[in-house]
Amino acid sequence: MDATLRTVAPLVGAGLDRLVHAKLSSNVGPLELAARAANSLELVGDDIGPTVVTMLE
């Protein structure tokens, strides 16, 4: 339980940071951002899909 509590806070903070950054820089809402992420994950490894490295940017 202690390890989980130490790990969760930075991950939640990073997730919220990504949501706010997407909204402020590109005017992309959270649902659209989640849909884009899900789509990108489905296309990894496909000829037209992104590579894992480009998804980390």
Side-chain angles (χ1 to χ4, degrees):
M1 185 69 152
D2 290 336
T4 302
L5 292 175
R6 281 193 307 268
T7 306
V8 168
L11 291 175
V12 170
L16 291 173
D17 182 58
R18 294 288 181 189
L19 289 171
V20 171
H21 177 72
K23 184 63 176 177
L24 294 176
S25 66
S26 303
N27 201 26
V28 176
L31 292 178
E32 183 180 353
L33 190 62
R36 287 182 183 185
N39 188 39
S40 292
L41 286 172
E42 289 290 327
L43 292 175
V44 167
D46 194 2
D47 291 336
I48 62 170
T51 64
V52 175
V53 175
T54 58
M55 288 180 56
L56 293 174
E57 294 177 348

